[in-house]
């Protein structure tokens, strides 16, 4: 039987890009709430300690493990060396706490954190630029993984690798493992199941982000930004949105994927209380995991 672990992202409690969409809770309370909903992992957030000596006792007390974390990469513009220097402390920390991977998110040229820049103005790479970028990311990933820490690439709205064709081109020009995020791909207009068919051999981490398609379809992408979409409620947890996670998880199980399924759904905690969202997301994931033949590891 395939084995899966269920984790959550603290972005439901504290949003690093939109501080106004944050619940005033401590790290300990965030971990307690997610664990009470059934999640055994939590991705890194801004309120986490930066040393293993501080982090491990907090995680142990909450009975959770660190199941990943975002690195803001800038390889599209900056040198491999400068990115190596910035990620090294993260590699050391994540190895010490036995995290499964570091998530590479490209922020170079990205408009994901700028409310003044509409979705339609997202950066685009030429075929030659994408090929060069893929090679650069591959070299960087090989260096990180040589230290014993897997690196996975997060395709993302408003960044240089957003759409399905962009993901296809990036995957063709790189060797890095993939973090597949159903919500971001659906938002970008891609076919979620087709993407899994094409890239399943490289999927090493999964974000189970759901979307509200009625919100996404109502956006004016020439005027509204990625953050505007978040504020309007474009994202939510499995079981509360438009995506068929039973089909998504069955597709992944059909290719033998094992590992983490992480709920990452940024929205207004006043409108969508994180503990309630965690409970809805966990219940739906447990339902679809069973349907797909997974044993969920506690």
């Amino acid at each position: 039987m395939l084995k899966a672990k269920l984790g959550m992202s603290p972005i439901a409690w504290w949003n690093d890009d939109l501080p106004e969409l944050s619940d005033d809770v401590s790290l300990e309370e965030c971990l307690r709430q997610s664990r009470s909903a059934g999640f055994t992992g939590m991705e890194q957030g801004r309120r986490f300690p930066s040393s293993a000596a501080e982090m491990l006792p907090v995680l142990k007390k909450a009975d959770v493990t660190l199941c990943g974390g975002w690195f803001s990469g800038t390889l599209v513009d900056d040198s491999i060396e400068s990115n190596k220097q910035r990620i090294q402390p993260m590699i050391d920390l994540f190895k010490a706490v036995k995290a499964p991977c570091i998530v590479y998110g490209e922020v170079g040229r990205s408009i994901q954190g700028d409310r003044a820049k509409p979705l339609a103005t997202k950066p685009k790479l030429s075929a030659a630029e994408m090929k060069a970028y893929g090679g650069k990311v591959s070299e960087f990933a090989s260096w990180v993984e040589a230290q014993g820490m897997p690196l996975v690439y997060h395709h993302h709205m408003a960044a240089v690798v957003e759409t399905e064709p962009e993901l296809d081109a990036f995957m063709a020009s790189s060797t890095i493992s993939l973090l597949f995020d159903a919500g971001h791909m659906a938002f970008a207009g891609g076919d979620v199941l087709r993407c899994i068919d094409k890239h399943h051999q490289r999927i090493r981490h999964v974000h189970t982000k759901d979307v509200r398609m009625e919100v996404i379809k109502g956006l004016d992408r020439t005027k509204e930004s990625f953050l505007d979409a978040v504020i309007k409620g474009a994202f939510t947890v499995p079981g509360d949105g438009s995506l068929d996670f039973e089909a998504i998880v069955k597709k992944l199980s059909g290719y033998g994927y094992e590992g983490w399924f992480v709920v990452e759904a940024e929205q207004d905690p006043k409108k969508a209380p994180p503990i309630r969202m965690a409970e809805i997301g966990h219940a739906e994931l447990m339902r679809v995991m069973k349907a797909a033949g997974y044993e969920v590891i506690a």
Side-chain angles (χ1 to χ4, degrees), residues 21-57:
L21 295 192
S22 296
D23 211 359
D24 188 24
V25 299
S26 65
L27 169 61
E28 290 76 11
E29 179 61 14
C30 168
L31 295 176
R32 188 197 68 76
Q33 289 185 18
S34 67
R35 188 67 186 89
S36 71
F39 292 98
T40 57
M42 179 66 78
E43 289 198 339
Q44 188 182 39
R46 71 172 186 264
R47 295 183 182 177
F48 274 69
S50 57
S51 74
E54 293 174 280
M55 189 186 293
L56 282 170

Side-chain angles (χ1 to χ4, degrees), residues 178-197:
L178 178 65
L179 180 158
F180 184 68
D181 189 310
H184 275 279
M185 185 48 63
F187 192 157
D191 185 314
V192 173
L193 299 180
R194 185 170 62 209
C195 284
I196 297 172
D197 283 333

Side-chain angles (χ1 to χ4, degrees), residues 130-205:
M130 184 66 82
K131 188 174 182 180
Y133 174 63
K136 205 171 175 184
V137 172
S138 300
E139 182 181 341
F140 182 69
S142 296
W143 177 82
V144 173
E145 297 207 345
Q147 297 186 61
M149 178 49 55
L151 190 70
V152 295
Y153 189 92
H154 192 333
H155 57 99
H156 201 286
M157 287 298 301
V160 292
V161 180
E162 171 192 282
T163 66
E164 185 178 345
E166 285 171 340
L167 178 61
D168 292 345
F170 174 75
M171 295 299 280
S173 63
S174 70
T175 56
I176 189 173
S177 296
L178 178 65
L179 180 158
F180 184 68
D181 189 310
H184 275 279
M185 185 48 63
F187 192 157
D191 185 314
V192 173
L193 299 180
R194 185 170 62 209
C195 284
I196 297 172
D197 283 333
K198 288 185 287 191
H199 304 303
H200 62 90
Q201 291 180 320
R202 306 239 310 261
I203 296 174
R204 193 162 182 169
H205 204 59

